[in-house]
Amino acid sequence: MQTFIQLVVDGLSTGSIYAALALAIVLVNQATGLINFAQGGIAVLSAYIAYQFTVWGLPLILAILASVVVSFFIGAFIERYLMRRFEKGDPDTAVVVTIGLLTLITGICAWIWSYNNLQFPSLFPLDTVTIFGAVVSVRSLGTIFVIVVIMLILQGLFLGTKLGLALRAVAINPESASFSGLKVGRLLMVGWGLAAALGAVAGAMVAPQLTLTPGMMDGALVYALAAVIIGGLSSPLGAVVAAWLIGVLENLAAVYVPFIGYDLRIAVPFILLFIVLILRPQGLFGRKVVVRV
Amino acid sequence: MSEFHTKTWGRRTRVTTVVAGIGILALVATGCARGANTGGGDESGDAVASSPGITDDSITLGITTPLSGPTAGPGTCTVAGLEAYFGAANAAGGIEFGDGNTRTVEIQALDDAYDPQQAAANFEQLKDSVFAMTSGLGTPTNRAWREAAIDDEVPQVLIMTGDPLFSNTEESPWQLGFVPIYQNEGAAFGELLAASGEDHKVAILAQNDDYGEGYVEGFKEAIEGADNVEIVEELTYEATDTSVDAQLTELAASGADVFFNAMSITPLVISSLQKAQELGWLPSWFLPSNTSSPTAILEPGGATAFPGVYSVSFAKAPASPAFAEDEDVQNFLTNLAEYADYPDMPAFPHCMWSYMIGGTLEQVFAEMTEPTRENFMEALRTVSDYQAPLMLEGTAVDTTEDGQPAVSSVVVQKYNGRGYDTVEAFE
């Protein structure tokens, strides 16, 4: 039982990292209708920026906040001067552009900061608390807590504010939104900016655990994308629940299903993906898109 | 014409695109490393007096090694140590060869980013302009052009891989590994534990490839017949995994007092050290030589929390206070800064290893009577009991033993909070 609880909490903690990235992907998707493969790369860049601020002597929490602000502008800048050219065209082209962007940003990080593993300090102490006999690290709990807070803020943004409504309007129908007086371009920039800021939080939480390297988020990105599809593209809550599900199931399958073990556990999220998509093509929490013919 | 793309068609197609994209990324992330089987090399039958890459006053060595990517830290070191050694030798007038000529040593290093395909391509690019290939790091990368090197009769020697294949003369006539094979290291741990005379329960976590298997094999052979050592749990992980928390949780539950972590991925070693502490599991640790760096791994991992962290080594650690005054070490650091443009204190042992390779090659060059690759391979096999610079007491270079790399002797060391001390017994 102790081991079981331990595995579940650890799964939630790794799942939270996937969730942070998944939330950013959902955000961009809500604002622009695109899937942004570069999200992982932008998060790594943000983590490096936070690292650089600490090198310059800022306390960690300020460094992370500064990186969140800088990342917002980087995200907005990328949308305005790069993605804008592709948003009007074929969405598949835009997706390929984001994959290219991922490679480019990884290369830029390596060029500036080298491929060496850098030590990134953790926001949380290495302490542990005991829950039902299982030892849970403060870092895991902290990570889970931060994600829940961000998820609630986003859910609130989309469903309860004018900005959220405007963002969704632009994504669903840019033309009508523009006719109703919404500043479409600015809203798109805000969507990308917010997603990059969110990625900065994810990056700062992952970096202490994986050590900071340019390819740090590659694995997490794959899981995050799976979580986005499983949870439904339009739902922050869905993305987080799916990411947690992936993290927990992966751990449990490795330990309790001998045939899967540690070697095949990477397949767990994708088996889950197929099952969910067959049963609910719009994802667990996604909205069905109805098109009138 | 609509100024904006209206998305009435897209959902299903979009999801398909994304799922396909995920698949592609998953493949990229798991880095499908398959050894490229380049069977290149046509027999050029003209017997030239001297081989490529050597003249009367210079010799050129080639290196393919990771200079970018996750393994760039150690990879950069494989070049730096060699540059430091020969840079100093060149400045002193060059190296005296057995044929009476004094030659300077040039080094051509190419980046393979730990990618086997790229390593094979680098070899093709270098093979006609260098006399021998040496020092490169990595098992899959060195394997990728092993057969090509045999076909082209180009020496691939004193390379940094623990794979026994390279030290088997029958299979690999143009090869020789430099560092101890995985089995040597695993066996050193096993022997220490078996000789301790106390009862020990061992938990093992091994990388699911030749690396992990080699370590475990050596360890198990050494404890065979020792009834005081019992392996209570043995798990694996993939080199592409980003977390081994679940494995650690399972291993901690086994109640083992010794943990043998045969792991080659730096961040994972750090997070295992941290995770074990979080779980309140405090065994003694055995770590491989390439993932036990005090500054890069043990300090961030908070290794002082454990009763003992053991590793094996054959090189003096420049950062250790024990060697602060050591003349060997001081020369090495001076040369590293001056000739290899490497001013920092090396965080990886590969810097010391490649420096030793320089010393070993100098021994070999002194035995060479003809400027040919064949003659070089013969001379290579004559070095015995050579105490290369930076080598620890009790270890030596010996290239005369078939089936063993140039260095097969290691000493077990224990972490002292800053560096390592050689230990005689498990405490």
Side-chain angles (χ1 to χ4, degrees):
Chain A
M1 189 62 203
Q2 207 171 322
T3 305
F4 177 81
I5 294 172
Q6 186 79 52
L7 290 171
V8 169
V9 176
D10 284 343
L12 288 175
S13 165
T14 5
S16 295
I17 289 169
Y18 308 151
L21 219 45
L23 283 174
I25 293 168
V26 166
L27 193 59
V28 165
N29 183 267
Q30 282 297 281
T32 62
L34 288 178
I35 293 279
N36 179 12
F37 278 82
Q39 203 68 63
I42 297 171
V44 172
L45 178 62
S46 307
Y48 272 109
I49 290 168
Y51 169 84
Q52 199 55 51
F53 279 127
T54 60
V55 170
W56 288 333
L58 273 192
L60 180 63
I61 185 78
L62 288 180
I64 293 175
L65 289 175
S67 134
V68 167
V69 173
V70 173
S71 302
F72 177 89
F73 288 105
I74 291 177
F77 181 88
I78 289 176
E79 194 284 327
R80 176 64 188 83
Y81 293 101
L82 181 74
M83 295 312 299
R84 186 73 54 97
R85 298 167 197 287
F86 300 95
E87 272 156 12
K88 293 168 196 149
D90 184 335
D92 289 348
T93 310
V95 166
V96 173
V97 170
T98 66
I99 295 178
L101 195 58
L102 169 68
T103 318
L104 176 70
I105 292 175
T106 305
I108 289 173
C109 289
W111 176 60
I112 300 177
W113 289 282
S114 88
Y115 273 102
N116 290 338
N117 307 46
L118 300 173
Q119 291 306 318
F120 192 94
S122 177
L123 265 181
F124 309 104
L126 257 183
D127 298 342
T128 54
V129 288
T130 311
I131 302 177
F132 302 119
V135 186
V136 181
S137 69
V138 173
R139 183 156 77 183
S140 296
L141 292 176
T143 310
I144 296 169
F145 175 76
V146 169
I147 290 304
V148 171
V149 170
I150 292 178
M151 176 186 75
L152 293 173
I153 292 173
L154 275 191
Q155 203 74 348
L157 172 85
F158 282 149
L159 301 178
T161 67
K162 271 209 162 107
L163 174 65
L165 187 65
L167 283 173
R168 284 190 297 154
V170 168
I172 290 164
N173 195 332
E175 221 164 338
S176 313
S178 165
F179 290 149
S180 359
L182 292 172
K183 298 214 173 341
V184 172
R186 192 166 303 167
L187 283 166
L188 290 176
M189 282 167 70
V190 167
W192 268 78
L194 283 176
L198 190 58
V201 176
M205 286 194 308
V206 178
Q209 204 157 331
L210 299 182
T211 70
L212 189 51
T213 55
M216 170 176 86
M217 282 285 192
D218 292 357
L221 177 68
V222 174
Y223 286 111
L225 288 163
V228 167
I229 301 295
I230 293 171
L233 271 169
S234 51
S235 163
L237 176 66
V240 172
V241 169
W244 281 346
L245 207 58
I246 289 173
V248 172
L249 278 181
E250 217 193 1
N251 270 356
L252 295 180
V255 176
Y256 295 111
V257 187
F259 138 81
I260 291 183
Y262 289 106
D263 301 338
L264 198 62
R265 69 176 185 169
I266 188 145
V268 171
F270 300 96
I271 296 167
L272 193 65
L273 182 80
F274 294 135
I275 294 170
V276 168
L277 286 185
I278 288 164
L279 298 176
R280 273 184 69 90
Q282 69 272 39
L284 291 175
F285 294 76
R287 283 188 309 272
K288 241 197 166 82
V289 177
V290 184
V291 181
R292 253 195 228 129
V293 185
Chain B
M1 198 49 219
S2 114
E3 199 198 336
F4 291 102
H5 175 83
T6 41
K7 297 189 299 294
T8 41
W9 63 279
R11 261 308 131 161
R12 173 159 313 182
T13 328
R14 194 79 41 75
V15 168
T16 318
T17 309
V18 172
V19 174
I22 293 175
I24 294 167
L25 273 185
L27 285 176
V28 172
T30 52
C32 284
R34 292 273 176 275
N37 212 340
T38 48
D42 49 328
E43 295 294 316
S44 52
D46 51 302
V48 280
S50 65
S51 299
I54 188 164
T55 66
D56 281 349
D57 50 19
S58 80
I59 183 169
T60 308
L61 301 173
I63 304 177
T64 172
T65 199
L67 301 173
S68 66
T71 332
T76 308
C77 260
T78 61
V79 181
L82 207 65
E83 282 179 339
Y85 189 90
F86 286 123
N90 291 346
I95 301 242
E96 202 162 320
F97 279 61
D99 62 359
N101 287 328
T102 300
R103 296 182 173 90
T104 53
V105 181
E106 312 301 323
I107 294 164
Q108 284 189 19
L110 294 179
D111 176 20
D112 60 35
Y114 210 79
D115 169 12
Q117 312 275 357
Q118 188 59 49
N122 288 350
F123 167 70
E124 294 301 320
Q125 193 180 329
L126 288 169
K127 70 182 185 192
D128 297 326
S129 59
V130 303
F131 180 78
M133 299 288 293
T134 181
S135 292
L137 160 79
T139 300
T141 42
N142 273 302
R143 274 191 175 202
W145 50 280
R146 185 185 69 93
E147 286 174 19
I150 295 170
D151 290 344
D152 297 336
E153 302 189 337
V154 179
Q156 178 184 14
V157 298
L158 308 180
I159 45 176
M160 295 191 199
T161 160
D163 186 343
L165 175 67
F166 292 91
S167 302
N168 175 334
T169 322
E170 185 108 345
E171 297 253 0
S172 307
W174 288 86
Q175 281 74 12
L176 178 63
F178 182 73
V179 293
I181 54 179
Y182 313 131
Q183 286 83 347
N184 295 148
E185 292 198 13
F189 293 140
E191 284 159 18
L192 190 78
L193 216 49
S196 70
E198 301 151 351
D199 288 346
H200 292 292
K201 287 182 178 165
V202 185
I204 297 178
L205 180 58
Q207 196 164 300
N208 188 17
D209 56 16
D210 288 350
Y211 175 94
E213 281 162 25
Y215 270 98
V216 174
E217 185 188 321
F219 181 80
K220 284 181 175 169
E221 273 174 23
I223 61 168
E224 213 170 322
D227 49 20
N228 62 330
V229 183
E230 182 199 354
I231 296 173
V232 288
E233 185 82 70
E234 187 180 343
L235 297 176
T236 57
Y237 74 96
E238 303 301 308
T240 48
D241 284 354
T242 49
S243 160
V244 288
D245 285 359
Q247 283 95 325
L248 264 286
T249 300
E250 207 176 337
L251 291 169
S254 73
D257 64 305
V258 174
F259 178 32
F260 181 18
N261 192 9
M263 192 176 260
S264 78
I265 312 287
T266 299
L268 287 182
V269 182
I270 297 172
S271 66
S272 338
L273 286 161
Q274 292 177 340
K275 185 71 196 173
Q277 286 170 67
E278 287 174 6
L279 293 165
W281 181 43
L282 300 175
S284 291
W285 287 59
F286 284 156
L287 289 174
S289 60
N290 64 342
T291 43
S292 52
S293 158
T295 46
I297 293 178
L298 299 185
E299 269 172 44
T304 44
F306 300 98
V309 176
Y310 296 84
S311 185
V312 291
S313 176
F314 55 96
K316 293 174 183 172
S320 165
F323 298 111
E325 302 299 312
D326 190 281
E327 197 184 332
D328 228 9
V329 168
Q330 286 176 339
N331 284 339
F332 162 69
L333 290 175
T334 310
N335 293 338
L336 202 60
E338 188 163 343
Y339 301 109
D341 192 22
Y342 200 104
D344 311 334
M345 179 67 79
F348 302 97
H350 307 70
C351 275
M352 287 75 91
W353 297 346
S354 54
Y355 194 75
M356 291 177 196
I357 290 173
T360 308
L361 282 169
E362 182 168 2
Q363 299 293 308
V364 176
F365 293 156
E367 294 294 319
M368 271 173 68
T369 50
E370 291 165 11
T372 64
R373 289 168 170 169
E374 291 78 8
N375 185 267
F376 168 82
M377 288 307 288
E378 282 166 32
L380 176 73
R381 290 289 182 177
T382 62
V383 183
S384 85
D385 206 24
Y386 164 62
Q387 192 79 30
L390 300 177
M391 281 194 103
L392 285 169
E393 203 65 44
T395 63
V397 175
D398 187 339
T399 56
T400 58
E401 209 177 328
D402 186 26
Q404 292 291 352
V407 179
S408 60
S409 48
V410 289
V411 293
V412 180
Q413 299 191 300
K414 189 176 180 182
Y415 181 55
N416 61 16
R418 280 193 60 185
Y420 282 98
D421 301 318
T422 301
V423 289
E424 300 298 327
F426 184 82
E427 296 148 21

